[in-house]
């Protein structure tokens, strides 16, 4: 049975799920959702009323939220890469890092990137500065976590790295990773050479004009 991912190639949380799908070469169909189109919005709302993507359809199962999509792949469509370790303590660390990436990198990144889309009198400079501070705190925390590690949770590529791929790609465009975080900068460069990540980044390249802060002209 074919998996169908309702997503947009350029959306950060969609890329998180797409990295996992490509990492294990899991067969799937992409239902390209363009939220500017009424029919696409309606199709997404019919699956998930919060109108957020990605949403994975697997037979009669509908799985929303990128982390849960990847959990579903681990359980029902496993491949060579296991995204969450079976060991409870190792799994807890992966999930902690996943939460940090989502809540303290991806979410504030979106705040910074989308604030310019607001009308002049509705912009939130205080909120943007808070978002920048949150990202810098997350960068420093991640940099320390990476000491002696190839990937965020150790030697194995995991759920945490799936989220870090778009998180650090777009994060560095929005709030640059400082020179005081050399391990994180090196990790970001290494992550962007991972074949599954390269596939996702290249598929999204034609949409870079959509980035509200402007196409930075670099990965």
């Amino acid at each position: 049975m074919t998996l169908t991912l309702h997503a947009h190639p350029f959306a950060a949380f969609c890329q998180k799920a797409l990295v996992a799908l490509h990492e294990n070469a899991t067969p799937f169909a992409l239902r390209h959702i363009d939220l500017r189109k009424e029919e696409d919005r309606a199709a997404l709302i019919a699956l998930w009323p919060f109108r957020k993507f990605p949403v994975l359809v697997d037979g009669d199962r509908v799985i929303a939220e990128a982390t849960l999509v990847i959990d579903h792949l681990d359980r029902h469509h496993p491949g060579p890469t296991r995204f969450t370790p079976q060991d409870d303590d190792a799994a807890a660390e992966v999930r902690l890092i996943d939460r940090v990436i989502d809540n303290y990198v991806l979410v504030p990144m979106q705040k910074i990137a989308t604030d310019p889309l607001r009308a002049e009198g509705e912009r939130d400079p205080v909120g943007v500065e808070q978002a920048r501070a949150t990202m810098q705190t997350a960068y420093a925390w991640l940099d320390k976590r990476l000491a002696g590690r190839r990937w965020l949770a150790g030697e194995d590529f995991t759920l945490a790295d799936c989220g870090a791929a778009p998180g650090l790609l777009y994060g560095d465009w929005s709030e640059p990773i400082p020179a005081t975080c050399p391990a994180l900068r090196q990790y970001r460069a290494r992550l962007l050479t991972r074949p599954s990540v390269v596939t996702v980044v290249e598929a999204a390249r034609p949409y870079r004009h959509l980035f509200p802060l402007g196409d930075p002209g670099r990965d």
Side-chain angles (χ1 to χ4, degrees):
M1 186 174 294
T2 302
L3 299 173
T4 301
L5 188 74
H6 293 68
H8 190 287
F10 193 66
F13 283 101
C14 295
Q15 289 190 0
K16 177 178 175 177
L18 285 163
V19 167
L21 285 161
H22 287 291
E23 180 68 23
N24 279 333
T26 305
F28 75 101
L30 177 65
R31 168 63 162 93
H32 186 128
I33 297 292
D34 185 342
L35 293 176
R36 296 170 297 182
K37 297 180 179 178
E38 183 177 352
E39 62 183 289
D40 285 8
R41 292 196 303 272
L44 186 58
I45 290 170
L47 294 171
W48 187 232
F50 299 100
R51 208 185 74 176
K52 299 289 186 181
F53 44 28
V55 176
L56 181 72
V57 176
D58 183 5
D60 59 358
R61 293 189 180 100
V62 176
I63 304 96
E65 303 295 322
T67 293
L68 299 184
V69 167
I70 296 172
D71 284 345
H72 180 83
L73 295 175
D74 250 354
R75 291 194 307 273
H76 299 285
H77 304 275
T81 298
R82 183 175 179 85
F83 298 108
T84 300
Q86 291 181 309
D87 177 81
D88 288 344
D89 289 339
E93 181 173 16
V94 167
R95 293 197 176 280
L96 171 63
I97 300 171
D98 176 65
R99 294 297 81 220
V100 169
I101 293 290
D102 276 10
N103 294 322
Y104 307 128
V105 177
L106 277 164
V107 170
M109 175 277 294
Q110 290 179 330
K111 172 69 175 179
I112 295 167
T114 60
D115 195 68
L117 300 178
R118 296 182 174 205
E120 187 68 36
E122 297 177 359
R123 291 180 184 169
D124 182 16
V126 173
V128 167
E129 285 308 305
Q130 290 172 339
R132 293 188 185 281
T134 296
M135 291 182 71
Q136 288 295 333
T137 298
Y139 289 160
W141 186 88
L142 291 166
D143 188 73
K144 290 180 181 178
R145 207 80 179 188
L146 279 162
R149 295 179 173 181
R150 177 167 179 76
W151 304 111
L152 277 177
E155 288 303 304
D156 296 325
F157 190 90
T158 68
L159 165 68
D161 303 293
C162 293
L168 296 179
L169 174 66
Y170 296 143
D172 192 54
W173 292 359
S174 305
E175 176 63 12
I177 300 169
T180 52
C181 295
L184 187 62
R185 288 161 66 106
Q186 291 164 13
Y187 165 73
R188 179 184 184 274
R190 187 163 60 250
L191 189 58
L192 289 173
T193 67
R194 184 86 175 185
S196 58
V197 176
V198 171
T199 297
V200 172
V201 169
E202 290 305 312
R205 196 173 295 277
Y207 303 100
R208 289 193 176 190
H209 65 280
L210 298 175
F211 194 64
L213 301 178
D215 183 351
R218 62 177 177 84
D219 290 341

